[in-house]
Amino acid sequence: MKKYIWDQFTRITDRLSLSHTFDTHHSLLFTVSVMLAATVLSALYRQINVHDSINIALIYILAIILISYHTDLYRYGVISGLISVFLINGIFTYPYWEISFAVSGSTITFAIMYIISILSSATVFRMKEQARKIKEGELLIAEAENEKEKEKLRANLLRAVSHDLRTPLTSMIGASSSCLENEDSLTPEEKRQFISQIYEDANWLLHMVENLLSVTRITEGGASTLKKTSEPMEEVLFDAVSTVRKRYPDMKIETMIPEDLVVAPMDPLLIKQVIINLLENAYFHSYSTQPVKCSLEDGDRSVSVSIRDFGDGIAPDRLNSIFDAVPTAPTSASDVRKGMGIGLSICKTIITAHGGSISAHNREPGAEFCFRIPKEENTHESYC
């Protein structure tokens, strides 16, 4: 029995050299404060019952448990247990104000109390270790799930890119080949048409590369790589609309913004890319000549932007998967020319990295895409 107790004591004290996870000064100050409080409480209790040292011992054991729970190493609980034994013996046990283990049975009593203190400290510390390991396990699981989502996104992007790059590249190769092979027989107007087609497809590929660079930065580094600053949303919105108007002069866009300034933390370049993607989506896939409405709304906790077209709307079977980077069969000649695009999936990736949400809805007529980003960090918004 003595050997077992000594082995347990040795095992516990051997762990006193563990690395700190909390501030040493904080742990020491907390230990001194709790021991002082336990002594004062024991002194008050002694005024009520002079000869009851058992409950006083329980007060100190409770203090040791609190110290073990709120400090970082075994040493505080073990040392507190040793100090408690001497305090109880010297202050609260006869003869008072004198350290003496000569009283019959006192040696065994205090030895048992010390062992209980050590075991209590060890139990609490072990529980803390288990809780820490459980938390680390949960973090690892969350990280694994996050990595799984990233891998899924990369795989979907790869399929979508191979699908969307093939169409404009094939068109460019065909147009340039026709120009080279029929250079002498083509009229200036036909040559101009081929060159315009190559120019348009080259711009489309450039925009796709910009999208891929944006999403790659997020998928590789996560939300922590975002360079968020507090920006006026209307400035970002107008910048995106101006860029789209330059690219597509025949596109009509109506903007609606609130009178007050709307500010939110964001990566302005990425949010601009989201708005551009949504406007381009309305331009190429709505098949409507009516103006696209772009609205900005200021909420209590979030800022929302909606892009509304008045075209054919979204096929019902695509509503739930429209933001997935999975290529689908084209539904018109325009889709064959430009592909169904990966812009929407990139929009979702960017908005999710901002802690926001994005959604799509059919309207009468047309479709509406809406995204929200929170006004404050570490908050998440529900769908529009």
Side-chain angles (χ1 to χ4, degrees), residues 69-352:
Y69 183 80
H70 288 284
T71 55
D72 55 334
L73 297 177
Y74 272 121
R75 67 175 64 167
Y76 297 103
V78 173
I79 294 174
S80 298
L82 184 62
I83 293 174
S84 299
V85 168
F86 284 99
L87 286 175
I88 295 173
N89 182 276
I91 300 178
F92 303 107
T93 303
Y94 182 84
Y96 303 114
W97 302 105
E98 180 181 342
I99 302 297
S100 175
F101 295 96
V103 179
S104 177
S106 62
T107 302
I108 297 177
T109 301
F110 289 118
I112 293 175
M113 178 191 166
Y114 186 51
I115 293 172
I116 291 174
S117 300
I118 293 176
L119 294 178
S120 299
S121 177
T123 301
V124 173
F125 196 86
R126 190 177 297 110
M127 290 173 62
K128 287 170 58 179
E129 286 292 305
Q130 290 176 350
R132 181 184 61 81
K133 291 179 180 179
I134 290 173
K135 185 175 181 180
E136 289 179 353
E138 291 175 349
L139 291 176
L140 289 175
I141 292 174
E143 184 177 348
E145 291 179 350
N146 187 33
E147 190 62 31
K148 183 179 179 181
E149 287 296 322
K150 287 182 180 180
E151 289 299 327
K152 180 181 178 181
L153 177 61
R154 292 190 188 103
N156 289 339
L157 283 174
L158 181 61
R159 289 197 296 270
V161 167
S162 62
H163 176 272
D164 281 359
L165 287 180
R166 184 168 55 249
T167 300
L169 283 175
T170 302
S171 176
M172 292 170 66
I173 292 172
S176 59
S177 177
S178 297
C179 287
L180 292 173
E181 294 175 358
N182 305 293
E183 182 179 2
D184 297 333
S185 61
L186 291 175
T187 64
E189 181 61 29
E190 289 174 335
K191 291 180 180 179
R192 183 176 180 82
Q193 289 179 357
F194 282 124
I195 295 173
S196 296
Q197 180 179 333
I198 294 173
Y199 175 78
E200 184 179 350
D201 286 328
N203 273 326
W204 179 264
L205 291 176
L206 176 61
H207 301 159
M208 184 178 295
V209 170
E210 291 174 353
N211 276 322
L212 290 175
L213 290 175
S214 298
V215 76
T216 299
R217 175 153 65 95
I218 297 175
T219 55
E220 289 183 351
S224 60
T225 61
L226 295 181
K227 299 178 181 178
K228 287 187 180 182
T229 55
S230 294
E231 299 286 342
M233 178 61 82
E234 50 261 45
E235 291 186 6
V236 179
L237 177 62
F238 284 136
D239 190 14
V241 170
S242 176
T243 300
V244 173
R245 282 173 173 165
K246 290 178 182 178
R247 293 180 182 176
Y248 316 107
D250 59 333
M251 183 178 182
K252 300 176 182 179
I253 306 174
E254 294 181 356
T255 57
M256 293 178 288
I257 62 171
E259 295 181 357
D260 297 330
L261 187 67
V262 180
V263 178
M266 70 182 82
D267 186 321
L269 293 179
L270 292 180
I271 296 299
K272 175 185 175 182
Q273 190 66 49
V274 171
I275 299 173
I276 290 175
N277 287 356
L278 294 177
L279 289 172
E280 287 184 338
N281 180 77
Y283 178 71
F284 286 110
H285 302 296
S286 65
Y287 317 118
S288 173
T289 57
Q290 297 188 49
V292 175
K293 289 187 177 181
C294 188
S295 305
L296 170 63
E297 294 184 4
D298 185 15
D300 294 334
R301 299 178 56 189
S302 63
V303 175
S304 65
V305 175
S306 61
I307 310 295
R308 166 77 189 278
D309 64 64
F310 297 87
D312 297 341
I314 306 168
D317 59 341
R318 290 205 60 208
L319 274 175
N320 295 329
S321 61
I322 196 167
F323 293 104
D324 297 334
V326 180
T328 57
T331 59
S332 71
S334 177
D335 288 340
V336 172
R337 172 137 167 77
K338 293 301 182 185
M340 294 304 291
I342 60 173
L344 293 180
S345 64
I346 291 173
C347 291
K348 181 179 179 180
T349 301
I350 293 174
I351 296 302
T352 301

Side-chain angles (χ1 to χ4, degrees), residues 22-38 62-72 76-77 80 128:
F22 296 94
D23 184 76
T24 302
H25 297 292
H26 174 269
S27 297
L28 181 60
L29 179 61
F30 183 84
T31 301
V32 173
S33 301
V34 172
M35 290 300 296
L36 181 61
L62 176 61
I64 292 168
I65 292 175
L66 291 175
I67 291 169
S68 301
Y69 183 80
H70 288 284
T71 55
D72 55 334
Y76 297 103
S80 298
K128 287 170 58 179

